[in-house]
Amino acid sequence: MKLQTAIDRLTLEEAVAKARLLDGQTDIIEMGTSLVKDYGNEAIRQFRQAVQKSTLLVDEKTIDEGAYEFRQGFENGADILTVMGAASKATLATCYEVAQTYHKTMMIDLMEVSAEKLQQIADFDDAIYCLHHSTDRKDVMNPSDTVAEFHQQLPHIKRLAIAGGIDLAGAKALAEQGLTEIVIVGSKIMKAADITAAVQSFKEVL
Amino acid sequence: MKLQTAIDRLTLEEAVAKARLLDGQTDIIEMGTSLVKDYGNEAIRQFRQAVQKSTLLVDEKTIDEGAYEFRQGFENGADILTVMGAASKATLATCYEVAQTYHKTMMIDLMEVSAEKLQQIADFDDAIYCLHHSTDRKDVMNPSDTVAEFHQQLPHIKRLAIAGGIDLAGAKALAEQGLTEIVIVGSKIMKAADITAAVQSFKEVL
């Protein structure tokens, strides 16, 4: 199982310093949406320079203009880009096509996607489907229950990721379950006193 | 009826020059999502400097982290920010709260929002509800039919906008119908040989 560490809501200078520190420590470094929105493509280019060993995911959260945003994201250095499952099927299809052309990866963020919509967008073979609990919601999810339920509904989806308040116990339960490819951790690592030690703890349980 | 002109997919320098040219000509200048994603807050600040007479809308397309994105958008100079109707109710509520605090405006982009979800998010009194046809979709909408249908479903929603391939004939029909507050035009103005003349033609029919 892979660990994705999300860097968010920092100045670009601080964020790039963290990315440099975590390069090679975590499997995937996520440049969070706040950095996309605050700094644009310049942030992707600086992250690409800092991230040489880990995979670089940019949490673009595309919801329209799929071809434009995905081309910009890959041209500026991303390995994986996110698109919202709530986007139109046409947007998802165009993002997938661009990702395939660049030999890169599309991750579908399933936040607020209905069961009905999910059925319509479940056919992107190489895409990673990310179960995502909105940070604005006050309720808490149990990650392994969420994965189990999803897997029961759509057993043919091979590549699964999960994000949203995941702690060490949650990560351990996901590792034991063995259905998830990527566990995404944000504040539980980035707000730790020693972030490299926190990454190490997560790597050990995964 | 107000005219909102969308500036998109240009270099920042070109986009700001267009904004300066259109300032005071169109009621609302939209800084499109491509400029948010390509250049971040720096683009909002440059647009704010260029736009002194028109209202400045930034098509932020927030779908999570509502408070953070809306604060950044307003602090950097936007008058109106967009949030996706497909976001969680909690995200919409937090964006609305921030907009109210700043005495600014929230526009809800209804792209890909189901009838059921729409009912759940129809209670933001001062928000502008934007009927939006994804640019990635190949099918075409009839704007005044779309507005009539929406108004019949949700007659209590006072503030309506519409976007997606609207031409002069479509704008004229909307003006005659009298239900829409804002007509959003992109390529039909921005791809014209003379964009100020194109704005003038739209202003005349509205």
Side-chain angles (χ1 to χ4, degrees):
Chain A
M1 214 150 74
K2 290 179 197 156
L3 176 65
Q4 176 174 324
T5 305
I7 302 176
D8 242 314
R9 305 185 196 203
L10 295 171
T11 66
L12 183 53
E13 201 183 343
E14 289 166 336
V16 170
K18 302 281 189 224
R20 202 169 285 121
L21 184 68
L22 293 179
D23 186 30
Q25 307 282 319
T26 180
D27 303 288
I28 302 167
I29 289 178
E30 172 186 330
M31 184 184 118
T33 311
S34 60
L35 293 157
V36 175
K37 296 262 178 109
D38 286 347
Y39 299 102
N41 294 329
E42 174 62 20
I44 308 181
R45 290 191 292 269
Q46 289 197 25
F47 263 71
R48 181 69 284 171
Q49 282 204 310
V51 177
Q52 298 291 328
K53 296 172 200 142
S54 300
T55 297
L56 176 59
L57 178 142
V58 176
D59 194 11
E60 192 77 26
K61 286 194 167 59
T62 293
I63 190 141
D64 197 13
E65 304 183 54
Y68 183 84
E69 292 192 4
F70 263 48
R71 276 192 208 118
Q72 291 285 62
F74 291 134
E75 289 289 343
N76 282 287
D79 298 312
I80 307 176
L81 290 171
T82 62
V83 59
M84 299 309 297
S88 71
K89 178 81 193 242
T91 296
L92 285 153
T94 191
C95 287
Y96 191 66
E97 207 183 295
V98 174
Q100 299 279 78
T101 306
Y102 279 81
H103 303 286
K104 302 281 183 180
T105 305
M106 164 170 106
M107 179 184 277
I108 305 174
D109 184 324
L110 297 176
M111 191 173 62
E112 297 290 313
V113 170
S114 67
E116 191 193 342
K117 179 70 181 282
L118 187 54
Q119 291 288 348
Q120 294 162 19
I121 63 168
D123 55 349
F124 298 106
D125 270 359
D126 294 334
I128 302 165
Y129 288 75
C130 179
L131 301 162
H132 184 190
H133 201 70
S134 160
T135 54
D136 288 330
R137 287 178 62 160
K138 305 286 181 285
D139 53 332
V140 174
M141 71 162 173
N142 176 311
S144 44
D145 287 356
T146 304
V147 167
E149 200 186 314
F150 184 89
H151 181 69
Q152 199 171 23
Q153 280 178 345
L154 294 158
H156 74 281
I157 290 182
K158 298 180 298 276
R159 308 188 71 180
L160 274 184
I162 185 161
I166 294 169
D167 59 13
L168 218 49
K172 191 157 185 273
L174 288 165
E176 281 159 7
Q177 188 181 41
L179 292 171
T180 305
E181 179 178 329
I182 301 169
V183 173
I184 304 172
V185 180
S187 57
K188 292 288 186 295
I189 288 174
M190 297 309 294
K191 287 185 180 159
D194 180 344
I195 67 170
T196 49
V199 164
Q200 218 38 56
S201 310
F202 273 93
K203 286 292 285 177
E204 273 160 28
V205 303
L206 292 183
Chain B
M1 213 151 75
K2 289 178 196 155
L3 176 65
Q4 175 174 325
T5 305
I7 302 175
D8 242 315
R9 305 186 196 202
L10 295 171
T11 66
L12 184 52
E13 201 183 342
E14 289 166 336
V16 169
K18 300 283 190 224
R20 201 169 285 121
L21 185 67
L22 294 179
D23 186 31
Q25 306 283 319
T26 180
D27 303 288
I28 303 168
I29 289 178
E30 172 185 330
M31 184 185 118
T33 311
S34 60
L35 293 158
V36 174
K37 297 262 178 109
D38 286 347
Y39 299 102
N41 293 330
E42 175 60 20
I44 308 181
R45 289 190 293 270
Q46 290 197 24
F47 262 70
R48 181 70 284 171
Q49 283 205 307
V51 177
Q52 297 291 328
K53 295 172 201 141
S54 299
T55 298
L56 175 58
L57 179 142
V58 175
D59 195 11
E60 192 75 27
K61 285 193 168 60
T62 293
I63 190 142
D64 197 12
E65 305 181 53
Y68 183 83
E69 292 193 4
F70 263 47
R71 276 191 207 116
Q72 291 285 62
F74 291 135
E75 289 288 343
N76 283 287
D79 298 312
I80 307 175
L81 290 170
T82 62
V83 59
M84 299 309 297
S88 71
K89 178 79 194 245
T91 295
L92 285 152
T94 191
C95 288
Y96 191 65
E97 206 182 296
V98 173
Q100 299 279 77
T101 305
Y102 279 81
H103 303 288
K104 302 281 185 181
T105 305
M106 165 169 107
M107 180 184 276
I108 305 174
D109 185 324
L110 297 176
M111 192 173 60
E112 296 292 312
V113 170
S114 66
E116 191 193 341
K117 179 71 182 283
L118 187 53
Q119 292 288 347
Q120 294 162 19
I121 62 168
D123 55 351
F124 297 106
D125 270 1
D126 294 334
I128 302 164
Y129 288 76
C130 179
L131 300 162
H132 185 187
H133 202 69
S134 162
T135 55
D136 288 331
R137 288 178 61 159
K138 305 286 181 285
D139 53 333
V140 175
M141 69 161 174
N142 176 311
S144 43
D145 286 358
T146 304
V147 168
E149 201 185 316
F150 183 88
H151 181 69
Q152 199 169 24
Q153 281 177 345
L154 294 159
H156 73 282
I157 291 183
K158 296 180 299 275
R159 307 188 70 180
L160 274 184
I162 185 160
I166 294 169
D167 59 13
L168 219 48
K172 192 158 184 274
L174 288 166
E176 282 159 7
Q177 188 181 40
L179 292 170
T180 305
E181 180 178 329
I182 303 169
V183 173
I184 304 172
V185 180
S187 58
K188 292 289 184 298
I189 288 174
M190 296 310 293
K191 288 186 179 157
D194 180 344
I195 66 169
T196 49
V199 164
Q200 218 39 56
S201 308
F202 274 93
K203 286 291 285 176
E204 273 160 29
V205 302
L206 292 182

